[in-house]
Amino acid sequence: MHIVVCIKQVPDSAQIRVHPVTNTIMRQGVPTIINPYDLFSLETALRLRDEIGGAVTVLTMGPPSAEDALRKALTFGADRAVLLTDRFFAGSDTLATSYALSQAILKIGETWGAPDIIFAGKQTIDGDTAQVGPGIARRLELNQLTYISKVTRVDVEKRKIELERRAEGGTQVLASALPCLVTMLEGSAEIRRGSFVGALRAARAEITTWSAADAGITDLLKCGLRGSPTVVKRVFAPSPRAEKAKQVEVKPKSRETADDLIEALFEAKPAMQADLELLAAGL
Amino acid sequence: MVEKFDCIVVGAGMSGNAAAYTLAKKGLSVLQLERGEYSGSKNVQGAIMYADMLEKIIPDFRDDAPLERHLIEQRFWMMTENAHTGMHYRSDSFNEAAPNRYTIIRSQFDKWFSRKVREAGAILLTETTALELIFDAYGVCVGVRTDREGGIVHADVVVLAEGVNGLLGSRAGLRQPPKPETVALAVKEMHFLPQETIESRFNVKGDEGVVIEAVGAISQGMTGMGFIYSNKESLSVGIGCLVSDYAKAGETPYGLLEKFKAHPSVKPLLEGSEVKEYSAHLIPEGGYKAIPQLCGDGWVVVGDAAQLNNNVHREGSNLAMTSGRMAAEAIFQIKSRKEKMTKANLKRYPDAMEASFVMKDMRKYKDIPALLHTNSRNFFLTYPELVAKAMENFVRVDGTPKREKESATFAAFRKTRGLGGLVTDAFKLARAWR
Amino acid sequence: MSDAPKPAAAAPSRAAMKKELPEHFRAYKHVWVMVELERGHVHPVSWELMGEARKLADKLDAEVGAVVVGAPDAGTREAAAESFAYGADVVYLVENPILADYRNESYTRTLTELVNTYKPEILLLGATNLGRDLAGSVATTLLTGLTADCTELAVDADKSLAATRPTFGGSLLCTIYTLNFRPQMATVRPRVMRMPDRQEGRIGRVVEHAINLEEESIVTKVLKFLPDRSSQKSNLAYADVVVAGGLGLQNGENLQLVRALASVLGGEWGCSRPCVQKGWAPADRQIGQTGKTIRPKLYIAAGISGAIQHRVGVEGADLIVAINTDRNAPILDIAHFAVATDAIRFLPALTEAFRARISPHATDRLAG
Ligand SMILES: Cc1cc2nc3c(=O)[nH]c(=O)nc-3n(C[C@H](O)[C@H](O)[C@H](O)COP(=O)(O)OP(=O)(O)OC[C@H]3O[C@@H](n4cnc5c(N)ncnc54)[C@H](O)[C@@H]3O)c2cc1C
Ligand SMILES: Cc1cc2nc3c(=O)[nH]c(=O)nc-3n(C[C@H](O)[C@H](O)[C@H](O)COP(=O)(O)OP(=O)(O)OC[C@H]3O[C@@H](n4cnc5c(N)ncnc54)[C@H](O)[C@@H]3O)c2cc1C
Ligand SMILES: Nc1ncnc2c1ncn2[C@@H]1O[C@H](COP(=O)(O)O)[C@@H](O)[C@H]1O
């Protein structure tokens, strides 16, 4: 079985800083990580491979430094890694990204055999759109299976797959066919650590690096800024609330402080008391 | 099958990177282990980087290393509760083609250094902690065990570049674990400000930078020092004191830092900054007398792990880099002669250190730690207060005749510390310094 | 004209390239909402969107269209009727047994066909699992732009949709346009927009659209649907009162204090992400960027620092109370009231105080 996993290198958003004066994003020195959601997909792919056999190819589109993310994926146990990098891809929105990735997946198929399952992350933490996965599925005309909490069964011979999907208010138990595109739900599978031998292998591995041309992408109008229907017109920092919180004085007895707080709340929002009484009564 | 390398370097800080780079450049097979997510992810430094020691390893480092500002001015401040007496040295001669000292941000600098190490051919495994050294039946170190599954690896020699905590070394009984009296705990914050603000506040332009080092009341009578280093778009602000003192004084490092930042001489410099990154780290303060054995059969120890830190001049990274390089050069010599990595052969490394500035400087200040420790209240509280009083007397114009002012000043010195004490302290300090 | 000096342009951006809309897109009119109907229930986010759609449509002098897709049953009919009550002028109704369960293929085909037939200018979907799954594949099929997770929608002077959304984990906001393509698509999270008032008796036009779907051509089958057991289900997003705990509570057991207070207040309880990561609470209790967005009347955050990723999920609350020992914690930037005290000691007192004030007779029901 051949599985392709799309991963993205993202800035660790907990540490993103906005320039206090120019309001631009300061990426310098911000550590990068593999998009955390992608790890659930990667781990699921690795488990399927361990169980059924075959190979896992990780794919990313990004700057040359995205190699770090790929190497890490190799450390976890992926079998090979492809870096799609070209200045033509700069400024891609989700539509352009899904185009480039889908072309690269076709090329991966030609090179190492057609993939049976393509995994993407549920969403990224920088773009946070959850669109690239579905975009790839459409472009490759694959069955799209998102928000999957569990891949229950894969039958490579019969080209069948069974999974559980998180829906509003419940779980859908689905049967579908290979090849397909799957995005895994967070918490579905914790990423493994990778053995010492695996880590050594990853450190030494050659990473396949493709330009647009290498990946067989000839329609550059579909790539990068030019292939992106959306434009970001304005980036700005959220305006802070005018005044800070009012401190309720802490009395020696917690109960007194609590009563003061409640008094302050009811004073600020006179309707609150009635609302709470109704709620508390279960109405 | 257990893999074997010529050399394993434990740690990817300043000393580990210096060693791994030098070894790999000379063609040895090098495996470097780093427990952090990447090189520099957990490392803390002020940080001033001394160019000369890096030049000896990577001569053209200025081409692409992430350097913040080159230093043209140094300020020493002696602080009381609400004043400071300062000495500034600023010189245009520091605006040279190849400047002597730079501020750096360790996480970025270490990443760059680490890339150089890998480009030189070393293999780096991150998020991999070395748990223990492996010795053979003859007590020769033959490799390490890591925390990854199947994580045993062998080498002719292990370079312990694991920093101040040095768990591996102390676990193997090669050194003492750091004692509260011989390590300082420093805390540091990054304060971000627009470049223009930094330049106007510190009266610099372009890449010029300023360092402020402050002692006195800010450490509440403990042996310690505060610092402010100017980076391109941020200030590194920190303070450190001996670990043993915190407990005695009932102070917390963060409490001290808060007070330091609130000091009227410091506050205006930080005004309006956005604080990001709070970090804490140990600094070896034991001086020459705390330096352990530097080598044994199949191992050497370098950098902070070897307690190589010159507290008087706030030097650590340069000693780390130099010791890493010298250890690597010794290993290379032994290797190229096809000799064994025995303690006797590896002694080339401590010998080279003895002959260099490293040990000469360490020896020069060998008595300072003890002195500052026993006399900390005087050095950090009494004297700054006296000096400030003297300055205040000298500067303030209030109709008191000058002669009266001078005798008042002198009386204050005598009264507070006693003439004998003053003289003794001065004498001791001078002796320790020599 | 071409020689006239251009005004000093800011950094050249693609926004400046905004050109005339291609001829074939000129016919695209009206604002649509995809009504999210699953198992007979409409997700409230659809009505929240209807309120937004109404505002946009009024500015564009256009109609609000509701897309109602489902099996031919009472639930579907009711959703259509409700759409009018919440502001729709037209309902595009597709009834087909194959559409009983949400499946990407059948829904993508249906929505794509509706768009190509009736040509809406703006298409809004909820940023739910269903909405995101569908929006991504419809946008790619139509080769148009899609802005996910918007927090603000507006119509510009030139009548284009300005969709504002957080980026980089909420540290920044950005405004995104879809140039030269139609429809302009956006998804919006539940609880980000206000629920409009329901107008009883309001009606409109129904456009029934028959779609040609065959079960055999749809690869994915729903074998079973396992409904959440209602007892465990958190209703965080729609709760009027939410009490949440963070790392400041020191351990998982202390989350009980939060649950107890929520119970007395008849509200829901939640937590910050690290609590989920530490296994103190299940993932559906997490509030914030990667958890739930809440919009309660009262939000009490105990031992939560208020990191930006948390804040973006709670900023819509009417009244925020922070219980935090640190008077400088970022949560105080958005909180209305703060108590600088140990939450572990304070929560039980607050619970008792509330009990005395608002529910002297109510028995203690355990939330969650
Ligand atoms: C606040 C502060 C300010 C300072 N300012 C200056 C200054 O301005 N100028 C200056 O020259 N020096 C300064 N120093 C000192 C300087 O930072 C150190 O001397 C220097 O970093 C030592 O380098 P090292 O390689 O020995 O240790 P480190 O830089 O600490 O590196 C040790 C590395 O080993 C890794 N490691 C540890 N154990 C293991 C293990 N078991 N397995 C795998 N990896 C392991 C660690 O993660 C770390 O990356 C300062 C220090 C502090 C704390
Ligand atoms: C991609 C990404 C997505 C994220 N998404 C989310 C998300 O959806 N939701 C979320 O919550 N976080 C999210 N986070 C994590 C977020 O950045 C913060 O790390 C997290 O919110 C902090 O949780 P906390 O406030 O519980 O803990 P801390 O930040 O550790 O804060 C604990 C607080 O408790 C206070 N305290 C300590 N003791 C007491 C006491 N006894 N009494 C009262 N107060 C006390 C402290 O002063 C402190 O302010 C995300 C992070 C990333 C990188
Ligand atoms: N540049 C990229 N390279 C590889 N995969 C990507 C890239 N961008 C997005 N993806 C995949 O698409 C998923 C959803 O991304 P997004 O639509 O940005 O939220 C991610 O989790 C990745 O699996």
Side-chain angles (χ1 to χ4, degrees):
Chain A
M1 186 169 55
H2 186 191
I3 304 176
V4 173
V5 184
C6 297
I7 64 170
K8 187 179 181 193
Q9 186 179 48
V10 295
D12 191 344
S13 83
Q15 307 188 39
I16 273 279
R17 290 190 358 91
V18 180
H19 194 289
V21 180
T22 57
N23 250 344
T24 49
I25 300 154
M26 298 168 67
R27 284 169 198 263
Q28 201 200 16
V30 176
T32 55
I33 50 175
I34 297 181
N35 175 36
Y37 292 107
D38 298 350
L39 297 177
F40 304 114
S41 290
L42 178 58
E43 176 62 25
T44 307
L46 293 173
R47 286 185 196 174
L48 287 173
R49 178 211 54 194
D50 292 348
E51 204 177 294
I52 303 172
V56 171
T57 304
V58 281
L59 165 66
T60 196
M61 176 179 99
S65 56
E67 185 190 316
D68 292 348
L70 291 173
R71 224 172 263 290
K72 199 150 196 185
L74 292 173
T75 305
F76 294 136
D79 298 279
R80 68 176 82 83
V82 177
L83 172 63
L84 187 60
T85 186
D86 201 311
R87 66 194 167 82
F88 290 117
F89 300 137
S92 296
D93 73 357
T94 53
L95 196 70
T97 302
S98 62
Y99 173 72
L101 289 173
S102 62
Q103 296 307 107
I105 291 168
L106 291 177
K107 180 77 183 183
I108 286 173
E110 284 167 26
T111 316
W112 294 289
D116 301 290
I117 306 179
I118 291 146
F119 279 99
K122 184 185 106 175
Q123 68 197 63
T124 52
I125 60 167
D126 58 347
D128 201 5
T129 70
Q131 270 156 239
V132 171
I136 295 170
R138 284 311 338 126
R139 296 203 181 254
L140 297 176
E141 297 191 16
L142 298 169
N143 310 315
Q144 168 183 324
L145 304 154
T146 58
Y147 304 98
I148 301 302
S149 52
K150 192 166 153 200
V151 177
T152 328
R153 220 159 56 85
V154 175
D155 192 328
V156 186
E157 307 288 86
K158 298 208 176 99
R159 315 299 295 155
K160 281 198 158 63
I161 183 166
E162 278 182 31
L163 344 80
E164 290 182 8
R165 174 173 188 275
R166 183 75 222 163
E168 213 57 48
T171 303
Q172 287 181 327
V173 180
L174 299 176
S176 193
L178 303 181
C180 58
L181 180 130
V182 176
T183 77
M184 295 301 295
L185 206 61
E186 62 272 23
S188 50
E190 285 309 318
I191 191 73
R192 59 192 63 192
R193 210 165 117 61
S195 68
F196 191 78
V197 176
L200 267 182
R201 187 182 54 86
R204 289 171 171 146
E206 275 287 328
I207 297 214
T208 307
T209 304
W210 286 344
S211 64
D214 294 339
I217 299 175
T218 46
D219 193 350
L220 295 175
L221 281 176
K222 289 187 182 163
C223 297
L225 267 182
R226 285 189 292 180
S228 302
T230 58
V231 293
V232 176
K233 198 167 173 192
R234 201 159 81 91
V235 178
F236 55 103
S239 51
R241 249 224 1 248
E243 80 276 31
K244 261 201 158 191
K246 209 177 285 163
Q247 287 283 348
V248 174
E249 195 196 328
V250 179
K251 304 263 174 72
K253 280 215 175 69
S254 290
R255 179 57 190 268
E256 280 177 47
T257 318
D259 285 326
D260 290 353
L261 171 64
I262 294 172
E263 209 48 60
L265 292 179
F266 289 172
E267 196 177 309
K269 285 256 161 27
M272 174 85 56
Q273 179 159 14
D275 283 348
L276 290 182
E277 278 166 6
L278 284 177
L279 270 175
L283 298 170
Chain B
M1 199 202 68
V2 174
E3 270 212 58
K4 186 172 173 207
F5 290 81
D6 290 336
C7 184
I8 295 170
V9 178
V10 178
M14 285 290 198
S15 61
N17 281 337
Y21 181 86
T22 309
L23 288 163
K25 260 291 192 242
K26 290 186 184 292
L28 276 72
S29 70
V30 180
L31 174 68
Q32 190 180 31
L33 304 174
E34 168 58 48
R35 67 173 173 190
E37 216 177 311
Y38 52 89
S39 170
S41 60
K42 294 197 176 140
N43 296 338
V44 179
Q45 187 177 333
I48 304 172
M49 198 276 298
Y50 306 92
D52 179 68
M53 291 74 194
L54 182 55
E55 240 166 26
K56 291 210 164 64
I57 301 166
I58 306 181
D60 53 0
F61 75 90
R62 291 185 180 84
D63 292 350
D64 57 356
L67 306 168
E68 293 285 310
R69 292 174 180 273
H70 69 271
L71 297 172
I72 64 155
E73 180 177 332
Q74 179 98 17
R75 303 181 188 171
F76 301 99
W77 286 1
M78 252 181 152
M79 311 190 84
T80 65
E81 284 297 335
N82 64 355
H84 77 266
T85 313
M87 184 179 96
H88 294 192
Y89 182 70
R90 178 180 176 120
S91 169
D92 196 42
S93 67
F94 289 125
N95 279 319
E96 56 211 317
N100 177 256
R101 301 188 306 159
Y102 293 90
T103 48
I104 56 168
I105 293 173
R106 268 297 288 274
S107 59
Q108 292 169 27
F109 183 86
D110 284 15
K111 253 193 195 161
W112 166 84
F113 205 164
S114 176
R115 202 184 72 227
K116 291 281 172 192
V117 170
R118 279 174 290 158
E119 282 168 6
I123 289 184
L124 167 67
L125 299 189
T126 54
E127 292 180 273
T128 308
T129 306
L131 295 177
E132 62 177 3
L133 296 174
I134 303 170
F135 294 89
D136 69 7
Y138 306 98
V140 177
C141 176
V142 294
V144 301
R145 187 170 68 84
T146 72
D147 64 342
R148 281 190 188 272
E149 179 204 327
I152 287 179
V153 55
H154 287 165
D156 289 333
V157 60
V158 176
V159 179
L160 292 164
E162 48 176 342
V164 55
N165 270 325
L167 280 180
L168 226 53
S170 33
R171 257 183 221 150
L174 310 180
R175 50 165 276 187
Q176 298 280 318
K179 291 195 209 62
E181 311 82 53
T182 56
V183 283
L185 177 60
V187 291
K188 193 189 103 175
E189 283 177 354
M190 297 286 280
H191 284 245
F192 283 82
L193 282 168
Q195 199 164 329
E196 312 79 66
T197 312
I198 292 183
E199 282 163 19
S200 70
R201 275 184 201 172
F202 288 85
N203 187 22
V204 290
K205 57 181 193 320
D207 286 342
E208 295 170 346
V210 173
V211 166
I212 301 175
E213 288 181 336
V215 295
I218 49 164
S219 63
Q220 315 286 323
M222 300 185 265
T223 304
M225 180 189 263
F227 59 84
I228 302 172
Y229 298 158
S230 60
N231 306 317
K232 207 158 256 157
E233 293 200 306
S234 62
L235 301 174
S236 301
V237 183
I239 191 164
C241 293
L242 286 180
V243 170
S244 54
D245 282 4
Y246 285 118
K248 265 187 267 165
E251 287 283 349
T252 65
Y254 195 57
L256 280 190
L257 181 57
E258 284 301 309
K259 283 181 199 153
F260 180 51
K261 289 190 307 187
H263 190 281
S265 299
V266 174
K267 205 172 169 194
L269 293 173
L270 309 180
E271 188 88 37
S273 67
E274 192 192 336
V275 188
K276 207 73 189 194
E277 282 181 40
Y278 167 76
S279 48
H281 203 273
L282 296 174
I283 308 179
E285 300 272 343
Y288 182 77
K289 292 175 178 165
I291 297 176
Q293 283 269 8
L294 292 182
C295 65
D297 289 331
W299 60 269
V300 293
V301 54
V302 296
D304 276 6
Q307 296 271 339
L308 296 170
N309 224 294
N310 179 340
N311 349 100
V312 174
H313 289 269
R314 288 286 123 191
E315 294 174 18
S317 64
N318 55 337
L319 308 186
M321 286 192 278
T322 304
S323 60
R325 172 175 62 84
M326 288 182 165
E329 283 166 355
I331 290 168
F332 172 68
Q333 280 176 21
I334 299 167
K335 181 90 191 169
S336 51
R337 293 178 189 204
K338 303 207 159 50
E339 291 172 1
K340 288 215 145 143
M341 297 290 163
T342 57
K343 181 173 182 179
N345 287 332
L346 285 166
K347 207 172 156 288
R348 284 165 212 271
Y349 155 55
D351 288 349
M353 295 273 283
E354 287 293 336
S356 76
F357 81 97
V358 177
M359 288 307 186
K360 288 187 180 137
D361 284 357
M362 292 299 291
R363 259 200 309 277
K364 177 170 184 314
Y365 298 119
K366 67 181 189 308
D367 293 325
I368 293 266
L371 176 64
L372 292 183
H373 196 50
T374 50
N375 236 336
S376 64
R377 285 199 70 79
N378 287 330
F379 285 114
F380 294 96
L381 278 182
T382 316
Y383 296 160
E385 190 65 46
L386 290 174
V387 171
K389 272 215 186 95
M391 286 308 295
E392 171 104 18
N393 255 337
F394 185 77
V395 177
R396 188 183 284 279
V397 176
D398 57 4
T400 318
K402 298 289 183 246
R403 186 178 296 276
E404 269 173 46
K405 281 195 163 197
E406 273 168 29
S407 50
T409 302
F410 194 60
F413 268 83
R414 243 186 348 222
K415 189 163 135 242
T416 335
R417 177 68 181 118
L419 197 50
L422 267 178
V423 172
T424 327
D425 284 352
F427 193 60
K428 277 197 215 153
L429 189 60
R431 242 208 337 233
W433 203 277
R434 241 189 358 219
Chain C
M1 163 84 214
S2 58
D3 284 336
K6 292 212 174 71
S13 74
R14 256 183 51 101
M17 293 161 44
K18 209 156 155 179
K19 290 189 302 244
E20 285 283 281
L21 194 62
E23 186 60 41
H24 61 283
F25 285 134
R26 300 261 171 87
Y28 282 65
K29 285 239 153 36
H30 308 309
V31 184
W32 281 16
V33 173
M34 173 75 199
V35 174
E36 191 173 308
L37 179 65
E38 217 164 7
R39 316 233 124 217
H41 292 287
V42 175
H43 196 294
V45 71
S46 307
W47 307 144
E48 292 158 20
L49 286 176
M50 208 71 84
E52 278 306 293
R54 187 71 265 165
K55 288 186 221 157
L56 299 175
D58 289 349
K59 286 210 192 96
L60 289 168
D61 213 0
E63 290 181 337
V64 172
V67 178
V68 177
V69 170
D73 60 22
T76 310
R77 288 275 152 176
E78 193 186 321
E82 282 299 289
S83 299
F84 293 125
Y86 283 103
D89 301 310
V90 196
V91 168
Y92 296 89
L93 181 65
V94 185
E95 291 180 303
N96 189 317
I98 293 176
L99 297 168
D101 277 302
Y102 173 75
R103 280 176 296 173
N104 178 267
E105 287 164 277
S106 49
Y107 272 61
T108 300
R109 262 153 67 182
T110 306
L111 188 54
T112 310
E113 189 174 306
L114 285 175
V115 167
N116 285 333
T117 314
Y118 305 102
K119 305 187 190 317
E121 191 175 8
I122 294 175
L123 173 55
L124 307 177
L125 297 92
T128 55
N129 288 5
L130 188 159
R132 285 179 147 204
D133 183 86
L134 182 60
S137 55
V138 168
T140 314
T141 313
L142 296 168
L143 296 176
T144 189
L146 163 59
T147 309
D149 263 6
C150 301
T151 50
E152 202 186 315
L153 300 170
V155 171
D156 254 19
D158 67 351
K159 309 218 150 176
S160 49
L161 177 71
T164 299
R165 60 161 307 196
T167 176
F168 286 101
S171 357
L172 286 179
L173 296 169
C174 62
T175 304
I176 296 180
Y177 290 80
T178 295
L179 304 182
N180 310 335
F181 294 89
R182 290 296 179 267
Q184 307 163 86
M185 291 179 61
T187 62
V188 179
R189 276 193 179 210
R191 298 307 270 158
V192 167
M193 302 300 180
R194 240 169 230 294
M195 176 73 78
D197 292 331
R198 190 175 175 284
Q199 294 165 265
E200 193 67 57
R202 196 174 172 282
I203 52 158
R205 213 155 28 100
V206 176
V207 176
E208 292 197 40
H209 185 92
I211 187 141
N212 190 14
L213 291 172
E214 287 131 32
E215 184 58 49
E216 303 79 66
S217 70
I218 295 164
V219 180
T220 304
K221 310 285 176 204
V222 180
L223 302 181
K224 251 188 295 188
F225 187 89
L226 313 168
D228 291 326
R229 270 191 290 129
S230 50
S231 60
Q232 304 179 332
K233 205 182 135 198
S234 86
N235 190 25
L236 256 184
Y238 287 90
D240 278 329
V241 173
V242 175
V243 186
L247 280 188
L249 295 183
Q250 323 295 354
N251 60 50
E253 275 80 74
N254 284 333
L255 270 180
Q256 176 55 34
L257 305 175
V258 165
R259 281 196 286 265
L261 177 55
S263 159
V264 162
L265 291 172
E268 286 282 349
W269 66 279
C271 63
S272 64
R273 182 162 90 152
C275 301
V276 173
Q277 286 169 328
K278 286 183 180 287
W280 298 353
D284 64 350
R285 293 285 168 183
Q286 181 187 321
I287 299 170
Q289 185 205 356
T290 48
K292 298 255 163 43
T293 302
I294 59 171
R295 214 186 168 107
K297 292 189 173 127
L298 174 62
Y299 176 53
I300 301 177
I304 293 181
S305 61
I308 184 76
Q309 294 89 359
H310 186 80
R311 282 164 53 178
V312 293
V314 303
E315 269 163 340
D318 289 344
L319 202 52
I320 301 177
V321 176
I323 306 169
N324 196 312
T325 40
D326 177 5
R327 286 169 190 268
N328 292 315
I331 187 101
L332 299 204
D333 293 340
I334 60 158
H336 302 85
F337 291 96
V339 189
T341 189
D342 177 5
I344 302 164
R345 278 186 41 219
F346 185 64
L347 279 172
L350 187 61
T351 307
E352 278 320 303
F354 265 122
R355 196 198 302 273
R357 279 300 287 269
I358 60 166
S359 59
H361 312 298
T363 47
D364 193 3
R365 291 162 301 112
L366 212 65

